[in-house]
Amino acid sequence: MEAGTAPTPLRRALGAIGGAWTHAAKFALDIALPTLCVSCREPVEGEGVCAECWTKLAFIEPPYCPRLGIPFVYDPGPDMLSMEAIANPPAYTRARAAVRYDDVARTLVHGLKYHDRTDLAPAMGRWMARAGRELLNGADMLIPVPLHWRRAWGRRFNQSGALARAIERQSEVKLRGDLLQRVRATEQQVGLTRAQRASNVQGAFQLSAEAKSQVNGRRVVLVDDVLTTGATLDACARALLRAKASQVDVLVFARVVDTPKTPI
Ligand SMILES: [Zn+2]
């Protein structure tokens, strides 16, 4: 055996294990032992939430509806959909959320939305990227739900855009905040079909001809802060599908979950 050849595979193996371990440890630390509280602002170093607020955040883990991401009370096995997904299927293919919308989640969402707490976005985006791994895998672009200009005036920035930017850093899926436009719901009803009116009432999202060409054939992940009924996201998804996006998925920070769902 030549000197130096034998240890190489071992070194490689250890390197691989070490790399994997480091990644796993970093991930675990990221999730389990954050060093800055973005919720209660207790003086800790780094970023994230303090242990107390962390335990209050209700992260959504499997089992959940593969379509809507609604948590199940027990695991029904693969491909079992929630009642909601069957009864009222949305235009988007899949939805995922990092956490349930509860008191702590609301603190984070409101901080980002109304109090210029842009420092919250990186941690929230990191959790979203984790929850949306399968959606982001192979996606072509991130599109944040746009604010109407009137609402945008009252705020310095679009919180969905800030979250999408944070997810872009985590996933390397490109943020395209310029493609989807929000217009007045009641301005362009004349001359539209009934189906078009219905979608207009829901929020009226449009793409320019140029934007449509960029969305055509692409897999889009729509990003928003909170999913309640999903009507806004559904209207956005329909606009993107009309522009011939190949698939639209939805990734939000928090979703409203009434009660744990029993799969059917
Ligand atoms: Zn805290």
Side-chain angles (χ1 to χ4, degrees):
M1 190 188 296
E2 288 178 37
T5 53
T8 303
L10 180 62
R11 217 182 292 135
R12 279 210 196 106
L14 285 172
I17 292 166
W21 187 87
T22 305
H23 187 263
K26 189 168 176 285
F27 188 69
L29 286 169
D30 217 17
I31 297 298
L33 298 170
T35 48
L36 168 67
C37 185
V38 292
S39 178
C40 70
R41 307 308 289 168
E42 281 300 305
V44 281
E45 293 172 25
E47 59 173 33
V49 291
C50 73
E52 198 181 335
C53 293
W54 162 261
T55 60
K56 290 180 196 159
L57 268 173
F59 285 91
I60 295 177
E61 305 285 351
Y64 48 64
C65 170
R67 189 81 207 279
L68 300 181
I70 298 173
F72 285 149
V73 285
Y74 66 89
D75 191 352
D79 304 326
M80 292 299 279
L81 298 177
S82 60
M83 197 95 76
E84 289 86 343
I86 293 165
N88 194 18
Y92 47 82
T93 303
R94 296 172 293 182
R96 296 290 182 269
V99 300
R100 294 176 188 230
Y101 192 61
D102 57 16
D103 289 343
V104 182
R106 190 180 299 115
T107 305
L108 298 181
V109 167
H110 283 194
L112 182 64
K113 206 169 193 166
Y114 302 117
H115 305 296
D116 290 333
R117 293 289 312 278
T118 52
D119 56 311
L120 302 184
M124 293 166 78
R126 203 162 58 234
W127 297 329
M128 289 169 76
R130 178 174 169 266
R133 259 178 311 206
E134 53 179 337
L135 274 52
L136 296 167
N137 186 18
D140 293 303
M141 59 183 79
L142 299 164
I143 295 188
V145 170
L147 284 179
H148 188 262
W149 58 269
R150 266 190 200 163
R151 285 214 272 158
W153 268 7
R155 292 183 218 155
R156 253 179 238 169
F157 79 118
N158 178 356
Q159 76 280 1
S160 304
L163 293 173
R165 209 168 301 123
I167 296 165
E168 180 186 42
R169 287 196 199 103
Q170 293 292 316
S171 66
E172 296 180 358
V173 180
K174 288 293 165 207
L175 165 64
R176 292 301 306 269
D178 55 332
L179 300 179
L180 188 62
Q181 310 256 307
R182 190 168 198 149
V183 297
R184 289 289 292 161
T186 53
E187 279 174 356
Q188 301 177 359
Q189 295 281 61
V190 177
L192 298 182
T193 66
R194 186 175 162 168
Q196 285 169 326
R197 282 176 187 241
S199 69
N200 239 11
V201 173
Q202 283 189 7
F205 296 92
Q206 288 185 355
L207 292 87
S208 68
E210 168 60 20
K212 282 178 182 170
S213 74
Q214 299 202 32
V215 161
N216 190 338
R218 302 307 178 107
R219 253 190 65 195
V220 176
V221 176
L222 266 171
V223 177
D224 207 356
D225 52 354
V226 181
L227 189 157
T228 46
T229 65
T232 301
L233 286 156
D234 202 61
C236 288
R238 268 189 272 122
L240 291 163
L241 290 167
R242 278 197 300 271
K244 299 191 168 61
S246 63
Q247 183 173 318
V248 180
D249 291 314
V250 162
L251 182 54
V252 298
F253 171 66
R255 75 165 300 141
V256 174
V257 179
D258 301 333
T259 50
K261 301 296 181 187
T262 304
I264 57 172

